[in-house]
Amino acid sequence: MAIHLDYTNMLAANVPGGGISEAAWDDAETAFAAARRTLEAQRAAGALGFLDVAEGHASLAELRQFADGAGQAFNDIVVLGIGGSALGTIALRTALAAPRWNELSDDARDFFPRLHVLDNVDPTTIAPLLDRLELGSTLFIVISKSGSTAETMAQYLIVRAKLEEALEDGFQRHLVFITDPEKGALRAIARAERIVSLDVPPNVGGRFSVLSPVGLLPAALIGIDVHALVDGAADMARRCERATLAENPAGVYATLQWLADTQLGCGIHVLMPYSDPLRDLGDWFVQLWAESLGKLRDGTTPTGPTPMGALGATDQHSKVQLFMEGPRNKTVTFVAVKELPRDLEIPRLHGDIPELAYLGGHHLGELLDIERRATAGALARRGRPNMTITLDRVDAWHVGGLIMLLEMATIYAGALYGINPLDQPGVELGKQFTYAMLGRADAERARQEWEQLPKPDPRRVI
Ligand code: PA5
């Protein structure tokens, strides 16, 4: 079991005209040491609850008990949530449940419920799902750390009304809340109505919460090995605490991305798994990197990289053209997987047609991996910095480790950029305008500000 980070192609010697110089890399030791001190200080102040993942082992047993007992009474599980309350669960489902699902016997499939994640308020998706569900065998997990997010609360109100109408007494058994232990509307409702609820630890931010009950309860309900997830994460956390930069994967990742942005102008950071199961991890990473690092430094200077997801080999026929010849403003991090659960040999047919004959006898997994190596090499040859994270396989241990690597890298990057990676003040104004337009009682000031904004000018609308 191993996760490795190969950053050969980030350094100038291997990426002519495009990489980070040895001198800059050597100097970065000092910046990293300061970033590590910041992480330690944040941890000592109790702000980085996601690092205490291993200490959550005791509560995992409870969580498994619920998942294997009461939880299995349901055929469908629906997560209501958005942002950090949904993206990690979607990534876990795609990485760890979907591939295995194809391998299960019909009996085993019947044992685990189906997991749906409603991470938006588009009625085009929600209405047909609610029409289709058998409410008597559905569990709704309402996830909101604040307990007040408009999108999630709107979903909850719709679901609750439907449950009350369809089931009358006992509808509460079809609801679980995951929210702050003390604060917020959901917690108050849970207390008043004795709705089963789990805590989002107050010191675990939404986008860092996938390895708390937020992601672990839905994962356990669909049979993902949550102990292995947590063990993989804890193992990576230990590696990513090391003081020596060259031995610290999150430190190396964050420092290289920061140097590439601030010294080479490569501020677009692409995460490109060559693995269908890892495709949704891209969206999770994009939220983590974007919402954590896109900030006003010292309250005035716009700062931060722009994350982007891509999928190999699919995006070789799409974004890779841009990565190769577009502006020199990107780094690409490939995610490679050594062992695949299944492979297919390409038959030796059409031996007389050169465009097909060379494929015969190779395997699809081999083709996927060779294409990744070819793309990395081609980028390096054109002076485009890139690196590769390799997992032995896509299983719970490795996915837990990869999640922790990227979470810790985010904290180090926050320190290197000189911003607070744990808040998100930039989303507030849009929220206030939404409240104002929907008539929320405490949004009077936002309503006044909204009304002063320019309205669409008919001459400018075609
Ligand atoms: O990372 C974050 O803090 C956000 O993306 C939140 O997860 C998102 O806004 C949802 O918030 P909440 O869990 O309070 O409903």
Side-chain angles (χ1 to χ4, degrees):
M1 298 206 286
I3 300 179
H4 295 291
L5 173 63
D6 176 351
Y7 58 99
T8 311
N9 286 350
M10 290 296 288
L11 297 173
N14 311 306
V15 190
I20 293 158
S21 70
E22 284 295 337
W25 183 231
D26 290 345
D27 285 353
E29 281 279 358
T30 316
F32 168 69
R36 191 169 163 279
R37 283 196 296 278
T38 303
L39 180 141
E40 288 304 327
Q42 286 167 322
R43 182 176 204 168
L48 304 180
F50 75 91
L51 288 178
D52 302 330
V53 65
E55 284 143 41
H57 249 279
S59 55
L60 283 186
E62 254 175 76
L63 210 130
R64 282 302 299 262
Q65 210 178 355
F66 175 81
D68 294 345
Q72 297 307 326
F74 301 99
N75 292 332
D76 289 276
I77 308 288
V78 185
V79 167
L80 311 181
I82 199 161
S85 292
L87 288 164
T89 299
I90 295 172
L92 292 182
R93 181 185 61 186
T94 310
L96 300 171
R100 210 200 34 175
W101 193 253
N102 295 324
E103 306 291 325
L104 294 178
S105 67
D106 287 348
D107 282 355
R109 280 186 198 188
D110 286 346
F111 182 75
F112 291 113
R114 287 173 291 269
L115 174 64
H116 316 265
V117 184
L118 294 182
D119 63 336
N120 202 351
V121 283
D122 191 336
T124 324
T125 311
I126 297 180
L129 178 71
L130 292 179
D131 288 346
R132 247 186 2 256
L133 288 170
E134 180 66 59
L135 293 184
S137 59
T138 302
L139 176 69
F140 292 90
I141 308 181
V142 189
I143 308 182
S144 175
K145 181 172 177 189
S146 61
S148 62
T149 299
E151 295 88 344
T152 309
M153 294 305 107
Q155 293 171 345
Y156 160 69
L157 292 169
I158 287 170
V159 161
R160 174 161 177 145
K162 282 203 173 288
L163 284 173
E164 282 188 28
E165 191 189 320
L167 306 175
E168 296 172 7
D169 286 348
F171 74 88
Q172 290 92 339
R173 282 194 303 106
H174 295 260
L175 288 169
V176 170
F177 293 169
I178 305 183
T179 190
D180 185 274
E182 299 294 336
K183 293 188 280 194
L186 273 187
R187 178 56 61 190
I189 298 167
R191 281 207 189 104
E193 303 191 11
R194 295 169 173 271
I195 290 172
V196 173
S197 53
L198 299 175
D199 297 346
V200 185
N203 61 354
V204 176
R207 55 194 173 274
F208 294 88
S209 68
V210 54
L211 300 177
S212 79
V214 169
L216 294 178
L217 179 66
L221 281 162
I222 54 170
I224 291 173
D225 184 346
V226 289
H227 281 93
L229 261 176
V230 163
D231 284 348
D235 185 76
M236 182 55 76
R238 282 189 289 276
R239 288 177 69 191
C240 296
E241 280 161 14
R242 290 177 185 156
T244 307
L245 177 56
E247 294 172 3
N248 182 321
V252 168
Y253 181 88
T255 307
L256 287 169
Q257 299 286 24
W258 167 72
L259 285 174
D261 182 6
T262 53
Q263 300 205 352
L264 307 176
C266 293
I268 297 179
H269 297 164
V270 180
L271 187 76
M272 186 168 183
Y274 272 63
S275 161
D276 281 345
L278 297 179
R279 69 192 306 158
D280 287 331
L281 204 87
D283 282 349
W284 170 84
F285 164 74
V286 165
Q287 189 228 1
L288 180 71
W289 207 244
E291 204 172 13
S292 301
L293 302 178
K295 299 283 160 68
L296 291 177
R297 193 173 60 236
D298 302 326
T300 52
T301 312
T303 304
T306 301
M308 185 195 279
L311 178 71
T314 309
D315 278 318
Q316 285 180 205
H317 301 266
S318 166
K319 296 173 187 160
V320 167
Q321 170 61 36
L322 173 72
F323 302 164
M324 287 289 287
E325 296 188 344
R328 292 176 173 279
N329 56 2
K330 299 171 199 69
T331 65
V332 180
T333 301
F334 298 102
V335 184
V337 178
K338 272 195 189 162
E339 295 164 23
L340 304 180
R342 292 193 59 183
D343 209 343
L344 286 175
E345 186 173 345
I346 305 169
R348 293 177 198 275
L349 296 174
H350 297 295
D352 54 338
I353 305 179
E355 296 94 315
L356 274 67
Y358 74 98
L359 290 168
H362 293 287
H363 286 76
L364 286 187
E366 184 191 359
L367 176 61
L368 188 66
D369 196 56
I370 284 179
E371 292 205 17
R372 174 189 61 75
R373 286 161 50 207
T375 306
L379 284 170
R381 180 119 174 93
R382 291 285 161 83
R384 311 287 169 138
N386 63 86
M387 55 184 150
T388 302
I389 300 171
T390 302
L391 315 185
D392 276 359
R393 65 192 78 88
V394 178
D395 62 9
W397 191 91
H398 288 86
V399 170
L402 181 57
I403 285 172
M404 182 57 77
L405 190 166
L406 294 170
E407 286 182 344
M408 289 187 74
T410 305
I411 302 298
Y412 285 130
L416 291 161
Y417 278 105
I419 54 87
N420 176 6
L422 302 173
D423 63 3
Q424 54 283 327
V427 301
E428 202 46 43
L429 186 57
K431 277 191 195 174
Q432 290 299 328
F433 284 163
T434 303
Y435 296 153
M437 281 186 268
L438 288 170
R440 190 167 138 162
D442 57 0
E444 185 50 28
R445 264 184 56 191
R447 197 184 58 74
Q448 288 169 10
E449 196 177 343
W450 172 253
E451 279 173 1
Q452 280 164 18
L453 289 182
K455 296 291 169 280
D457 177 345
R459 292 168 310 157
R460 306 290 175 212
V461 182
I462 56 167

